[in-house]
Amino acid sequence: MGRTVATPCGFMPPHVLERVAAQGSVRLRRCAQQTLEADHWFRQRGASAPQRDAARAVAGRPDRRIHSAENEQTLPGRLVRDEGQPASGDPAVDEAYEWLGATYRFYWEVFGRDSIDAKGMPLIGTVHYARDYDNAFWNGSQMVFGDGDGDLFRRFTAAPEVVAHELTHGVIERDVGLVYADQAGALNESLADVFGVLVKQYHADESPQAADWLIGAALLTDRVQGRALRSMAAPGTAYDDPVLGRDPQPGHMRDFVDTQADNGGVHINSGIPNRAFYLAAVALEAPAWESVAPVWYAAMRDDALSRESDFAAFAALTVAHARRQHGEGSREARAVDDAWREVGVVS
Amino acid sequence: MSRVDVPLLSHDMRLAISREGGFAYLPGLAAPREIECERLSDDKCARLGEWLSRLANVPEASTTGADRRCFRLTLSSRRTGEACWQRRLDEPCAPAWLVRLWRDGESALDEDDPAT
C-alpha cells in the first residue's frame, strides 16, 4: 500500500488501490441523470449569471470584481478589488485581477469578444476560498481559486493559464455547453487548456516554439516531483510523484482511457486534443493566436458542434475552418489535418 | 434506487467514498476510501447506516460549472461487487462526518455526533 502522507488539507493517501466496482446500470443512471440536469441547466443558463452593468461596462474593457471568501466557502465573498482600483497588496487578489484582465484582453483583441458571454459580463473571481484549498473551478457564474495547501500546491492564481482556463469554461458554457462527461467533457477540458495556454503565450508574446505548453507549472511546490499538472506537448509526462501518482494523460487515441472516474476521464483524455493543438501550432511559424487559435475558436462556435460532440466531430470542424480561413491546400489546413492524424483521431 | 432509499446495511456490504473532480485528475489522490461493514461492530454499522440516511436531505451534486469537486459514495455487495446505492454530493455540501469518514476511515465512526 502507498505511504501515508499527512497534508494540511487532509488529502487521503493512496492506501487503497482497488477501484469501485460500480455496475453499468448505475453508470447509465448517473449519465442519464447528468444529461437531464444539464439539459435543464442549459435551458435555464444565464438566468442567474451576472449581467453586463450598463453604467460601468465599456466594450473592450474588462469589468473585474475580485472577492475574498476569507477561507470560508460562501460565494462570492467580500469585494476586495473592483475594476480600476489599485493593487491591493494581496498577491492572490492582484493575480486574479491581472490574469482575468489578460484573459479578457486576449478574447477582445484576438477575437473581438466582449467577455464570457460576448456581452460584457462582469468577471467575478473569488480568492482565499476555503482553507488550504487545492483547486480552482468555474461554478456557472464565477471563477473560484484556492490558496493551495502549501505542501503540494501553491495558490491557484499564480498561473495565468489556470485563471484563463476557468474563465474559458464560462465561454465554452455560453457558446456550446459541451456536456461535462466522456469525450465531450474531455473536449471541454481541452478547449479550456488550449485557450488558457494561448492567453499565457499572448501575454508573454511567445512563439509556439518557445512556449513550454505546460498547464499549472507555477502551482507545484518544490516537493512535487513534476513540472506541471499537464503537458500539452507530451501528455503523460507532467509529473510522476509518490503522492500525486503519475500523470495519466494519453497523447494518442490508441491509449484512450475508458474510465468512470473523473466524469469519464475529462481531465485525462483531454491530453489527446491538447496534443493535436500543440502539433498544429508548432508546425507553423506564426504565433499560435494568429495561426490555429482562430481555427479552434471558429470550430468551437460552429453550430454544427453539439453538446455531445466527440473528438472526431471537433477535428472535422477544425479542418473545415482551417480550409475556409486559409485555403484548401494551405499550410495551416495541412498542419491541422496532420495534427489530428498524428494523435489518431483522424485516420 | 432513489437517493432517499439507503439500503439497510449488512455485513456483506462495502462503502466506497471518493473525492472526485477538480482542476486535474491526480491518480495518487483519487483512490476511494473503502469501509468494509464486515469489520464494523453492530453499533458502528448502525451508526453508519443512520448517518447515511441523513444524506437524503443533501442535494445531489450540481452538474453546472467545471472543475468542481464532489464526493461520491457507493454501497456495493462485497460478494457480487454489484452497487446498490450511490450518491454524489458537492464538496461544500458534504457534512463534516463524511469528510472525516473519507479522510480517516472507520475510526471516524468512534465519534458519536455527526453534526460536528
Side-chain angles (χ1 to χ4, degrees):
Chain A
M1 291 296 170
R3 77 183 197 206
T4 298
V5 179
T7 67
C9 60
F11 271 151
M12 188 179 72
H15 67 290
V16 180
L17 300 177
E18 189 178 322
R19 297 204 57 77
V20 175
Q23 298 296 297
S25 58
V26 172
R27 184 189 184 200
L28 287 174
R29 268 193 283 272
R30 170 176 67 85
C31 291
Q33 183 184 5
Q34 283 191 340
T35 303
L36 286 168
E37 289 183 14
D39 282 346
H40 174 73
W41 159 80
F42 198 66
R43 286 193 297 273
Q44 299 297 320
R45 68 178 179 163
S48 60
Q51 304 293 309
R52 177 180 185 270
D53 184 341
R56 50 189 275 163
V58 177
R61 290 186 193 169
D63 181 6
R64 291 163 286 188
R65 303 168 193 184
I66 311 301
H67 299 73
S68 172
E70 298 173 322
N71 300 122
E72 301 292 334
Q73 295 186 65
T74 304
L75 295 173
R78 182 171 62 88
L79 181 65
V80 287
R81 190 173 176 190
D82 206 349
E83 183 62 42
Q85 289 185 338
S88 69
D90 179 330
V93 171
D94 295 332
E95 286 166 351
Y97 186 90
E98 179 177 4
W99 301 134
L100 288 177
T103 308
Y104 179 93
R105 278 191 297 280
F106 167 81
Y107 276 105
W108 175 255
E109 293 171 6
V110 176
F111 304 125
R113 184 187 186 102
D114 185 10
S115 193
I116 290 168
D117 61 353
K119 297 174 184 170
M121 177 176 162
L123 302 177
I124 298 177
T126 295
V127 300
H128 302 313
Y129 179 78
R131 196 167 291 281
D132 302 322
Y133 193 66
D134 286 335
N135 197 26
F137 63 91
W138 162 256
N139 79 345
S141 57
Q142 70 156 99
M143 285 77 46
V144 183
F145 305 98
D147 291 330
D149 58 87
D151 186 15
L152 299 170
F153 294 100
R154 297 193 176 96
R155 59 179 179 272
F156 275 64
T157 49
E161 72 277 12
V162 172
V163 176
H165 173 111
E166 296 309 332
L167 191 155
T168 299
H169 274 307
V171 171
I172 297 164
E173 197 175 278
R174 293 302 185 280
D175 280 5
V176 59
L178 283 164
V179 171
Y180 201 63
D182 305 317
Q183 274 202 37
L187 184 57
N188 188 326
E189 273 301 319
S190 173
L191 289 168
D193 276 352
V194 161
F195 291 104
V197 87
L198 280 165
V199 168
K200 184 177 165 187
Q201 292 178 19
Y202 185 72
H203 183 77
D205 195 21
E206 272 185 323
S207 72
Q209 289 75 25
D212 63 16
W213 296 93
L214 296 173
I215 305 292
L219 303 187
L220 302 186
T221 66
D222 294 340
R223 294 178 193 167
V224 175
Q225 294 175 23
R227 296 176 295 153
L229 287 170
R230 289 187 281 278
S231 167
M232 295 179 67
T237 68
Y239 60 88
D240 188 355
D241 179 83
V243 178
L244 300 185
R246 186 176 181 183
D247 179 1
Q249 284 209 307
H252 192 283
M253 283 301 281
R254 66 174 164 262
D255 301 317
F256 186 92
V257 180
D258 189 7
T259 177
Q260 293 181 44
D262 186 36
N263 284 316
V266 299
H267 295 91
I268 300 172
N269 293 311
S270 57
I272 297 168
N274 272 4
R275 184 159 175 264
F277 183 84
Y278 159 80
L279 290 169
V282 296
L284 303 162
E285 284 78 33
W289 60 88
E290 292 178 2
S291 60
V292 280
V295 171
W296 252 245
Y297 186 70
M300 180 178 74
R301 293 169 59 84
D302 195 310
D303 288 342
L305 190 69
S306 80
R307 300 186 59 235
E308 296 173 357
S309 287
D310 58 11
F311 295 168
F314 185 73
L317 286 171
T318 60
V319 171
H321 280 284
R323 289 173 179 162
R324 199 173 302 162
Q325 290 180 14
H326 298 280
E328 187 78 22
S330 63
R331 293 191 62 228
E332 289 83 357
R334 285 203 308 277
V336 171
D337 193 41
D338 288 348
W340 288 113
R341 288 181 194 284
E342 198 162 334
V343 300
V345 170
V346 173
S347 55
Chain B
M1 200 170 70
S2 76
R3 64 188 174 91
V4 295
D5 298 329
V6 183
L8 195 62
L9 292 192
S10 71
H11 288 306
D12 171 55
M13 288 179 172
R14 168 188 293 141
L15 174 66
I17 307 171
S18 54
R19 194 180 65 173
E20 300 186 343
F23 183 81
Y25 179 75
L26 304 165
L29 305 177
R33 168 73 67 183
E34 294 194 334
I35 295 170
E36 307 284 354
C37 292
E38 184 184 37
R39 294 175 45 173
L40 301 179
S41 66
D42 288 344
D43 282 352
K44 283 188 177 182
C45 196
R47 182 173 296 151
L48 178 59
E50 200 269 324
W51 288 5
L52 292 177
S53 69
R54 297 185 180 199
L55 296 178
N57 299 321
V58 181
E60 196 69 7
S62 169
T63 55
T64 60
D67 300 328
R68 300 176 80 166
R69 285 204 303 225
C70 69
F71 284 97
R72 179 190 298 277
L73 296 89
T74 304
L75 267 176
S76 59
S77 162
R78 290 176 60 240
R79 188 170 46 82
T80 66
E82 186 176 351
C84 57
W85 178 84
Q86 194 170 81
R87 291 292 315 274
R88 287 176 77 243
L89 312 176
D90 279 328
E91 189 178 46
C93 298
W97 63 260
L98 175 58
V99 178
R100 285 203 306 270
L101 207 54
W102 168 76
R103 189 183 58 211
D104 303 331
E106 62 188 66
S107 66
L109 290 163
D110 293 336
E111 298 179 43
D112 280 332
D113 183 10
T116 58

